[in-house]
C-alpha cells in the first residue's frame, strides 16, 4: 500500500477552479450556456470561487452540482504544479494544467473504486491484486505534468475495470435473485421499476435516466458508471450497493426514506425538492 493515498473528494478551497476552466460544457438542461475547454466559466471569480455557488440549480447550472473531481483538482493545483496558479503564469503552463486535470481526475476515480473494493471483506482473495492496482494507479497519478499530459489512461482503465468486474461478481455472488442479474449497459431510461427487487443485479453502465426506482431494493447492486440523472430513488435502499458515487446520487432524486451507503451524503436538494 502506498504511504499516502490522496483525499478522494473535492477540496475546492485548495483548487484553482480547474473544473470551471479546463472542462467544456454545452448549453442544455445541465448548463445555461456553452463553454469551450480551457476558457474560464463566466461565473468563476478571480479568487477561483464560483460567483453563484448557492444558486447553481436556480441559475441553470445543475451540471455543476453533480460533478466531483475525486480530489484531482487540489492534487493538480497544489502537488502536480506546486501551487502555481494558471491565472498568473505563462499561457503554456495554463494549457498544460488544463490537459493534466482530466487525466488525474480519471486516475482518481479509479483510486476511489479500488479503495472501496479493498474495504469489502467478501472479496479478500482479490485484495493482493487490488493493492497492486492501487499502487500502480497512484504512481501514475504522482507523475510530473509532462508525463501526465502524455498519458492515455484508457489502457490502464480497461485493465483495472476487468479487475473491478471480478470484484463485482464475487461480491454479488449469493446476493438476491439468481436470474436477471446482469443488466450491464442496459437502456432503462424512464423504466418503471417501482419496488423492484434489484438486489445483487449488475447495472454497470446502465442508462437509468428518469427511471422510477421508488422503493426499489438495490442492496448489493453494482452501479459503477450507471447514469442516474433524474432517477427517482424515493424510498429506495442502496445500502451495500457497489461503486455508487456522490455525483450519481447528486444527479438523482430522493427523499427522507432513501437509504444510502454510509460513505455518501444525502443531497441537500432532495429535501428542498420534495
Amino acid at each position: 500500500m502506498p504511504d499516502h493515498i490522496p483525499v478522494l473528494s473535492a477540496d475546492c478551497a485548495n483548487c484553482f477552479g480547474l473544473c470551471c476552466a479546463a472542462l467544456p460544457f454545452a448549453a442544455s438542461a445541465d448548463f445555461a450556456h456553452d463553454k469551450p475547454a480551457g476558457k474560464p466559466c463566466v461565473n468563476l471569480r478571480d479568487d477561483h470561487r464560483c460567483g453563484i455557488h448557492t444558486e447553481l440549480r436556480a441559475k441553470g447550472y445543475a451540471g455543476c452540482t453533480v460533478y466531483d473531481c475525486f480530489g484531482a483538482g487540489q492534487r493538480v493545483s497544489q502537488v502536480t504544479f506546486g501551487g502555481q496558479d494558471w491565472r498568473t503564469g505563462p499561457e503554456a503552463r495554463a494549457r498544460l494544467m488544463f490537459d493534466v486535470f482530466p487525466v488525474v481526475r480519471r486516475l482518481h476515480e479509479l483510486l476511489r473504486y479500488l479503495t472501496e473494493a479493498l474495504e469489502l471483506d467478501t472479496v479478500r482473495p482479490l485484495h493482493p491484486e487490488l493493492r497492486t492496482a492501487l499502487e500502480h494507479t497512484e504512481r501514475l497519478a504522482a507523475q510530473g505534468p509532462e508525463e501526465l499530459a502524455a498519458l492515455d489512461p484508457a489502457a490502464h482503465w480497461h485493465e483495472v475495470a476487468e479487475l473491478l468486474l471480478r470484484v463485482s461478481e464475487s461480491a454479488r455472488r449469493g446476493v438476491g435473485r439468481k436470474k436477471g442479474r446482469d443488466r450491464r449497459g442496459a437502456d432503462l431510461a424512464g423504466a418503471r421499476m417501482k419496488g423492484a427487487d434489484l438486489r445483487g443485479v449488475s447495472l454497470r453502465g446502465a442508462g437509468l435516466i428518469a427511471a422510477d426506482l421508488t422503493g426499489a431494493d438495490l442492496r448489493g447492486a453494482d452501479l459503477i458508471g450507471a447514469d442516474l440523472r433524474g432517477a427517482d430513488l424515493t424510498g429506495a435502499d442502496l445500502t451495500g450497493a457497489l461503486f455508487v458515487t456522490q455525483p450519481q446520487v447528486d444527479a438523482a432524486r430522493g427523499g427522507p426514506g432513501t437509504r444510502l451507503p454510509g460513505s455518501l451524503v444525502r443531497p441537500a436538494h432532495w429535501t428542498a425538492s420534495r
Side-chain angles (χ1 to χ4, degrees):
M1 183 78 69
D3 293 334
H4 172 67
I5 292 296
V7 175
L8 300 176
S9 58
D11 178 5
C12 298
N14 286 301
C15 176
F16 296 138
L18 291 179
C19 64
C20 305
L23 305 180
F25 55 70
S28 62
D30 291 323
F31 297 102
H33 64 89
D34 294 323
K35 186 191 85 63
K39 181 179 179 180
C41 175
V42 295
N43 300 303
L44 184 64
R45 304 185 317 203
D46 290 342
D47 63 356
H48 301 298
R49 300 295 173 264
C50 176
I52 60 168
H53 180 70
T54 59
E55 304 175 279
L56 283 168
R57 287 183 174 272
K59 296 286 188 179
Y61 293 87
C64 297
T65 69
V66 300
Y67 179 81
D68 190 342
C69 71
F70 298 104
Q74 66 262 24
R75 180 175 196 150
V76 172
S77 298
Q78 303 300 333
V79 180
T80 311
F81 284 85
Q84 299 179 89
D85 189 340
W86 58 265
R87 285 189 187 273
T88 58
E91 184 178 344
R93 187 173 72 199
R95 288 198 302 268
L96 182 59
M97 188 177 290
F98 295 161
D99 288 342
V100 164
F101 171 64
V103 174
V104 177
R105 195 268 182 192
R106 189 78 161 151
L107 294 172
H108 269 227
E109 185 177 3
L110 281 179
L111 287 173
R112 188 253 185 237
Y113 292 141
L114 289 165
T115 300
E116 177 181 336
L118 278 166
E119 295 172 352
L120 298 172
D121 288 335
T122 54
V123 300
R124 190 165 292 278
L126 294 173
H127 281 195
E129 290 181 73
L130 287 166
R131 290 193 188 93
T132 298
L134 184 77
E135 292 167 358
H136 184 198
T137 305
E138 169 58 17
R139 284 196 299 270
L140 291 176
Q143 294 180 106
E146 289 77 15
E147 291 81 5
L148 284 164
L151 177 67
D152 180 1
H156 181 61
W157 181 277
H158 178 74
E159 180 180 333
V160 174
E162 290 297 319
L163 174 57
L164 292 175
L165 178 59
R166 290 162 55 203
V167 168
S168 171
E169 291 171 344
S170 179
R172 292 184 297 109
R173 191 171 296 128
V175 178
R177 59 186 183 180
K178 294 183 178 180
K179 294 183 178 180
R181 287 166 50 88
D182 193 345
R183 303 302 302 275
R184 284 182 290 175
D187 181 3
L188 298 170
R192 299 177 180 178
M193 294 184 283
K194 182 176 181 178
D197 181 2
L198 298 171
R199 289 174 298 163
V201 173
S202 175
L203 292 164
R204 296 168 66 92
L208 290 159
I209 298 173
D212 180 3
L213 291 165
T214 56
D217 192 342
L218 288 152
R219 288 176 293 172
D222 183 352
L223 291 168
I224 194 169
D227 192 340
L228 293 173
R229 285 178 294 169
D232 194 341
L233 297 174
T234 303
D237 190 348
L238 284 79
T239 53
L242 302 173
F243 307 125
V244 59
T245 64
Q246 192 66 49
Q248 288 173 298
V249 171
D250 290 343
R253 295 184 292 136
T258 306
R259 300 180 64 187
L260 297 173
S263 61
L264 301 182
V265 177
R266 188 176 303 276
H269 70 273
W270 281 11
T271 301
S273 64
R274 306 209 70 79

